[in-house]
Amino acid sequence: MRHTPSGTATFFGAMGRGKPPLLSDADADDVIARLRHALHTIECRELGTDAAKERFGQFADTNPGHVFVGVDPDDLLAQYPDHTELHRLLGAVRDRGSAVAVTLTAERA
């Protein structure tokens, strides 16, 4: 985890909550799992801490700080042009995430 002027930042990837980075040969299912995790974080933040803990119990993601999801949306959209679920999840994370400090970002080397 790295610290930013406004708090902490978490990466789903090499720096995030024990998650390994996506491998270069990651398939759509790997990316979908990562995006579902990001949506869970978004939902918990939208609900607020108390409601998230009530709904998800020990699985509520109530960690503070900015979350960066290490995927390259443009590359994925080009690589999987007909994958409806992947496109839907990318759009959902992109549309809802910025309001609760969850951001898609190209994989860091």
Side-chain angles (χ1 to χ4, degrees), residues 35-57:
L35 293 172
R36 284 184 180 152
H37 187 139
L39 278 176
H40 173 74
T41 299
I42 291 167
E43 184 173 1
C44 288
R45 289 175 176 204
E46 289 172 341
L47 288 169
T49 301
D50 293 337
K53 286 181 179 178
E54 185 177 318
R55 181 166 183 186
F56 297 110

Side-chain angles (χ1 to χ4, degrees), residues 45-107:
R45 289 175 176 204
E46 289 172 341
L47 288 169
T49 301
D50 293 337
K53 286 181 179 178
E54 185 177 318
R55 181 166 183 186
F56 297 110
Q58 68 180 0
F59 300 108
D61 184 351
T62 58
N63 294 326
H66 203 111
V67 176
F68 294 93
V69 183
V71 298
D72 185 340
D74 295 329
D75 181 56
L76 290 168
L77 293 171
Q79 189 175 355
Y80 301 102
D82 299 324
H83 201 297
T84 305
E85 183 178 16
L86 180 63
H87 287 240
R88 181 185 62 78
L89 289 168
L90 281 168
V93 172
R94 191 180 297 182
D95 294 344
R96 294 170 58 194
S98 60
V100 292
V102 176
T103 305
L104 294 173
T105 184
E107 204 59 64

